[in-house]
Amino acid sequence: MWRFLNKHRDLGLLLMRLGLGVMFLFHGVPKVLGGPERWYQLGLAMGYLGIDFLPHMWGIAAALAETLGALCLLFGIFMRPACLVLAFTMAVAATMHLGRGGGLQAASHAIELGIVFCGLLILGPGRYSFDRS
């Protein structure tokens, strides 16, 4: 059984890419469509890193990172740069949750996804992608 699974490693990468891509579309698209007020609220998270200028810009950057990053995951194109940006976005999200006093329980989802994106950054998109980098 383990040989079979080892032989189909690229299928596992495809499953992860598709699953995470679809879920991040659910997160990112409403943020992009939320408009300037939503972008402003998102951008305030950078304040937990000591960056308190241009919150609208940071907010739309985060929304686009999630939305475009999701598309990169789905198609396996520019996946490594997308994973790098998504890992940073998750680091900001984790910092925000910790800064609000939510503790590890509140930040754990962002931390876990950041770890997954770092792993995918190393592994790459696999055979079943438009970009076999």
Side-chain angles (χ1 to χ4, degrees):
M1 179 171 125
W2 300 122
R3 282 190 197 135
F4 173 81
L5 293 176
N6 283 335
K7 188 177 176 181
H8 297 286
R9 176 182 164 273
D10 290 308
L11 191 58
L13 284 169
L14 176 65
L15 177 64
M16 286 180 62
R17 284 191 5 247
L18 294 178
L20 288 170
V22 167
M23 294 311 297
F24 263 78
L25 279 177
F26 282 115
H27 286 282
V29 170
K31 291 175 183 172
V32 169
L33 298 178
E37 182 58 35
R38 178 75 170 127
W39 304 335
Y40 178 80
Q41 292 300 319
L42 284 170
L44 291 177
M46 291 296 284
Y48 292 97
L49 296 176
I51 300 171
D52 56 4
F53 59 90
L54 298 173
H56 286 94
M57 181 195 73
W58 295 113
I60 190 65
L64 288 172
E66 290 185 13
T67 303
L68 297 177
L71 293 172
C72 290
L73 286 170
L74 284 170
F75 295 109
I77 53 173
F78 307 112
M79 195 182 100
R80 285 188 164 124
C83 284
L84 185 63
V85 171
L86 287 167
F88 176 76
T89 303
M90 293 301 101
V92 173
T95 303
M96 179 197 66
H97 288 298
L98 292 170
R100 287 182 177 171
L104 192 56
Q105 182 67 31
S108 64
H109 185 64
I111 293 168
E112 291 159 356
L113 285 170
I115 293 167
V116 169
F117 289 131
C118 288
L120 288 173
L121 173 74
I122 294 166
L123 291 172
R127 179 185 308 156
Y128 306 118
S129 68
F130 288 103
D131 178 18
R132 295 185 189 170
S133 56

